Amino acid sequence: MANTIRALSMDAVQAANIGHPGMPMGMADVATVLWSDYLRFDPADPKWPDRDRFVLSAGHGSMLTYALLHLTGYAQPTMDDIRNFRQLGSPCAGHPENFLLEGVECTTGPLGQGLAMAVGMAIAERHLNAKFGDELVNHRTWAIAGDGCMMEGINHEAIGLAGHLGLGNLIVLWDDNRITIDGAVSLSSSEDVPERYRSAKWHTVSCDGHDPADIRRAIDEALADPRPSLVACQTIIGKGAPNKQGTSSVHGSPLGADEVAAARVEMGWEAEPFVVPADILADWRALGAAGAEANIAWQARLEASAKKADFEQQLSSVADKAAPALQDFIRGLAKDQPKVASRKASEMALGPLTEALPQLIGGSADLTGSNNTKTSATTPLTASSYDGRYLYYGIREFGMAAAMNGLSLHGGVVAYGGTFLVFSDYARNAIRMSALQETGVVYVMTHDSIGLGEDGPTHQPVEHVMSLRLIPNLNVYRPADAIETAECWALALQTTETPSVLALSRQNLPAVRGEGDAEWTGQTNRSAKGGYLLKPATAARKVVLVATGSEVSVAVDTAKVLEEQGIGADVVSMPCVELFQQADQAYREELLPADALIVSIEAGVTLGWQAVTGANGLNIGLDRFGASAPAEVLFKHFGFSAEAIVPQILAKLGN
């Protein structure tokens, strides 16, 4: 059975003339034992809620996953898909993509993130188990990781969190083959990996990764220990290729026709490429049938459970529930018109949201009091209280973001987490993976501009908002006041396949909304099209001021001065550029007419705003780093005031 994986892997990589045959050939025995004797799955129902989660963190070895899914009877990949490995139209991409194949729990490839997402999945399982008990939720998360996953910095963040939370339902199978692309691991590393895991409160055990009995012994040991476990599987990379196994040459290159032929002789594999003998295929397909029986038994328990309705509610989407949860809250804001920082407005909105939506699990990378991400409804999720809904991630921005992806991909929970916007750079690749994997996570990024003040340029994001807007399938929201902040929260929770970044202020923002919002409903969410007319011109319109966040009030002040000089100025608030760009063309042209000067105002880099203002527009921004001073001093110093902006507009108009 293991040689089937080896043969399919080397043949697919050879046909594509590119790929990584070494890892799947080396881990074939471990994977066969895992899927035969331990993993709980049902190919006919890939989304069965109580299935085990299998994560190939070493995603370059993607043929391991494709072979396993095909052999055990998943609808895809077909053998034709495998024949077309890495080719356009085949779901067998170079790295496993969760949006291409059922059975691929998460997209992997950036090393270490699969393991970190597995931590999030294990947290979700423990949380749901605490709520619904073993009868409905009792599964494990298994991850196969390589030396690259061990070395990446995110590994330290992820295993520290998992050990602290005591996630005994998480087992990592380490492909300990002592080889990287450059050569022997000893070229670049001499650390004791198991000792590092033990220091993070993990259980560790090793085994001969080519001896099924020893693999079972090690896994059984891991299952018996209440801590998360690292199983060091000592393997030979490219096992079965007689002249290249154990060398870096099999890591990321095809074996070559001669070595493929030699491997067939070495393994005694007589079948033609992409052909699996019927008796061996029958053994693999029997594993899928056994999984179906476990699923049927679980379905019976669900039907008989008094918690069935609550469980199904927990797994349901929050998309249609966010706006109703905020309706009374926003109507109250319209009446009170509070002057608060948008980070505080976010906390205020989270109050009714976390009360109404039990799926919400929040957290912060050690900035809870600054990000304002905890509410009275979210008690801490700890090793002794998995039923809590608030995670103290520690100073682990990257690990937090990846774990949030895992939480979301597991299902049954909606993850949000906070840090300073400037530290989105630490988390950036996981944010990108949120977008690629189509997860609905929400990043609460506070201290969004020079407005944070005295902490200075190291902490003042200048390029971050615009750079995040570059990521496809990511909505970046920068709300102007409390009502817009709540509207953006509603939109973030409604886009279940698009992650969101909420860029929120440290400094208080005056209310710019309220009029017309007393009867707010989800259908009247003015932020839904990304930009909207906040204040229409009273004189003949010559200028449209487009602003985001704290600069919307600056735009309002600027419009007032222009109007006093007889120059009509619309004020457009644009909390989400991405949604505005998706709006229909007629709406966009009405809001930003060709016969007006379009002026953007945002306390960040101006590059990118030309797509909104046009080449002949005016872009007011900050194309340099900030400085240490109080917020109001910095805004005046860098020209974010009506007195500084109006002369630039008049000059552009030729007045």
Side-chain angles (χ1 to χ4, degrees):
M1 291 173 74
N3 281 343
T4 314
I5 296 173
R6 293 187 174 99
L8 286 175
S9 297
M10 69 181 186
D11 288 341
V13 173
Q14 189 64 30
N17 198 31
I18 187 172
H20 299 75
M23 193 283 279
M25 295 178 74
M27 284 295 282
D29 298 302
V30 174
T32 300
V33 170
L34 173 63
W35 284 60
S36 296
D37 298 345
Y38 298 96
L39 193 74
R40 187 165 61 172
F41 65 101
D42 182 1
D45 187 7
K47 296 298 186 184
W48 167 31
D50 203 34
R51 69 193 180 280
D52 283 357
R53 271 51 171 186
F54 173 74
V55 175
L56 184 69
S57 188
H60 55 274
S62 56
M63 268 309 306
L64 180 68
T65 290
Y66 302 147
L68 289 164
L69 294 178
H70 174 75
L71 292 169
T72 54
Y74 283 78
Q76 280 189 296
T78 65
M79 192 60 84
D80 280 343
D81 293 331
I82 291 175
R83 281 193 189 93
N84 290 303
F85 174 59
R86 286 180 168 243
Q87 305 307 302
L88 186 63
S90 172
C92 296
H95 296 85
E97 306 284 5
N98 69 305
F99 53 86
L100 292 180
L101 282 173
E102 300 275 18
V104 173
E105 299 288 356
C106 59
T107 292
T108 55
L111 293 178
Q113 282 197 62
L115 192 156
M117 286 187 279
V119 171
M121 293 177 187
I123 294 171
E125 189 276 341
R126 286 292 82 193
H127 174 71
L128 295 174
N129 171 270
K131 291 188 68 172
F132 298 103
D134 288 352
E135 67 171 354
L136 297 184
V137 183
N138 187 22
H139 54 268
R140 299 186 182 278
T141 301
W142 306 82
I144 288 181
D147 285 306
C149 298
M150 299 294 115
M151 293 185 193
E152 288 285 358
I154 193 173
N155 181 270
H156 301 252
E157 298 183 27
I159 69 169
L161 181 63
H164 177 69
L165 292 175
L167 301 176
N169 59 338
L170 173 63
I171 298 177
V172 175
L173 304 166
W174 170 29
D175 180 18
D176 184 13
N177 61 34
R178 301 163 298 284
I179 292 292
T180 65
I181 290 177
D182 277 355
V185 166
S186 59
L187 288 171
S188 58
S189 180
S190 55
E191 67 179 316
D192 186 333
V193 172
E195 187 61 33
R196 176 157 57 81
Y197 272 69
R198 285 191 289 272
S199 73
K201 296 190 174 181
W202 282 58
H203 162 259
T204 67
V205 62
S206 64
C207 67
D208 179 342
H210 302 302
D211 180 344
D214 203 39
I215 296 167
R216 292 187 188 95
R217 173 198 58 79
I219 292 178
D220 288 343
E221 232 183 84
L223 292 172
D225 197 282
R227 296 168 291 177
S229 288
L230 174 73
V231 181
C233 305
Q234 295 168 359
T235 63
I236 300 171
I237 191 170
K239 171 81 171 165
N243 303 302
K244 293 188 175 183
Q245 64 181 17
T247 70
S248 61
S249 64
V250 297
H251 186 290
S253 301
L255 298 181
D258 291 344
E259 188 69 1
V260 167
R264 277 183 152 69
V265 174
E266 178 79 6
M267 294 186 294
W269 189 262
E270 299 178 354
E272 294 296 311
F274 305 109
V275 174
V276 180
D279 57 333
I280 301 176
L281 184 60
D283 288 341
W284 275 109
R285 293 289 160 88
L287 303 181
E293 293 177 8
N295 187 2
I296 291 170
W298 178 84
Q299 296 286 354
R301 293 197 300 275
L302 177 64
E303 289 300 319
S305 174
K307 298 180 179 179
K308 179 177 184 289
D310 289 342
F311 181 76
E312 291 176 341
Q313 178 72 9
Q314 184 81 34
L315 266 61
S316 66
S317 171
V318 301
D320 61 346
K321 304 165 189 170
L326 288 169
Q327 181 170 287
D328 290 342
F329 170 71
I330 291 178
R331 290 176 176 178
L333 293 177
K335 178 182 178 181
D336 299 335
Q337 297 191 357
K339 181 180 180 179
V340 295
S342 52
R343 62 169 177 161
K344 179 62 178 178
S346 171
E347 179 187 46
M348 293 161 60
L350 276 169
L353 285 172
T354 53
E355 289 176 7
L357 307 177
Q359 295 95 331
L360 288 180
I361 288 186
S364 171
D366 201 54
L367 290 168
T368 295
S370 294
N371 300 148
N372 298 83
T373 41
K374 190 177 184 304
T375 72
S376 59
T378 54
T379 57
L381 191 159
T382 67
S384 58
S385 301
Y386 290 124
D387 59 342
R389 293 163 57 202
Y390 192 80
L391 282 158
Y392 290 100
Y393 285 103
I395 304 92
R396 302 182 176 106
E397 294 88 359
F398 195 3
M400 174 184 74
M404 287 163 59
N405 284 336
L407 283 158
S408 176
L409 290 163
H410 179 279
V413 297
V414 176
Y416 69 92
T419 187
F420 289 169
L421 178 60
V422 77
F423 299 141
S424 63
D425 280 344
Y426 282 167
R428 188 180 182 90
N429 199 263
I431 297 173
R432 182 179 187 271
M433 295 297 288
S434 301
L436 182 64
Q437 296 180 97
E438 301 175 349
T439 67
V441 303
V442 183
Y443 294 97
V444 181
M445 302 290 194
T446 69
H447 296 58
D448 69 339
S449 73
I450 56 171
L452 69 87
E454 292 87 344
D455 274 346
T458 61
H459 282 53
Q460 291 167 1
V462 175
E463 75 278 22
H464 297 73
V465 170
M466 190 57 74
S467 71
L468 288 166
R469 289 177 180 141
L470 296 174
I471 299 176
N473 193 42
L474 176 69
N475 288 338
V476 180
Y477 298 94
R478 192 163 182 254
D481 70 355
I483 290 180
E484 271 198 9
T485 302
E487 288 185 332
C488 291
W489 258 112
L491 293 169
L493 295 175
Q494 287 166 2
T495 54
T496 57
E497 295 183 354
T498 297
S500 302
V501 170
L502 298 178
L504 306 172
S505 74
R506 176 182 183 269
Q507 75 275 27
N508 288 339
L509 306 180
V512 297
R513 287 276 297 277
E515 185 178 346
D517 294 311
E519 296 301 319
W520 188 93
T521 68
Q523 286 69 43
T524 57
N525 187 333
R526 295 173 73 186
S527 298
K529 290 187 177 181
Y532 63 93
L533 181 61
L534 176 66
K535 299 282 186 183
T538 54
R541 181 184 58 199
K542 294 183 179 180
V543 177
V544 177
L545 303 171
V546 182
T548 74
S550 52
E551 291 74 73
V552 172
S553 62
V554 175
V556 171
D557 293 342
T558 301
K560 182 179 179 182
V561 174
L562 290 170
E563 293 281 353
E564 289 171 352
Q565 299 184 31
I567 300 171
D570 283 353
V571 176
V572 169
S573 180
M574 193 169 287
C576 185
V577 174
E578 294 79 15
L579 291 180
F580 179 72
Q581 291 171 334
Q582 295 167 24
D584 63 85
Q585 184 176 349
Y587 177 79
R588 287 184 280 119
E589 290 178 350
E590 178 184 1
L591 207 59
L592 306 178
D595 62 352
L597 171 65
I598 312 300
V599 181
S600 66
I601 308 174
E602 185 172 65
V605 294
T606 57
L607 181 65
W609 273 110
Q610 295 78 9
V612 174
T613 64
N616 295 319
L618 178 62
N619 306 117
I620 307 295
L622 188 63
D623 291 313
R624 53 152 289 180
F625 295 117
S628 294
E632 60 274 14
V633 173
L634 291 172
F635 268 70
K636 182 177 181 180
H637 174 72
F638 287 115
F640 294 101
S641 65
E643 66 177 354
I645 295 172
V646 167
Q648 297 179 67
I649 293 174
L650 295 178
K652 189 74 174 179
L653 290 172
N655 289 14

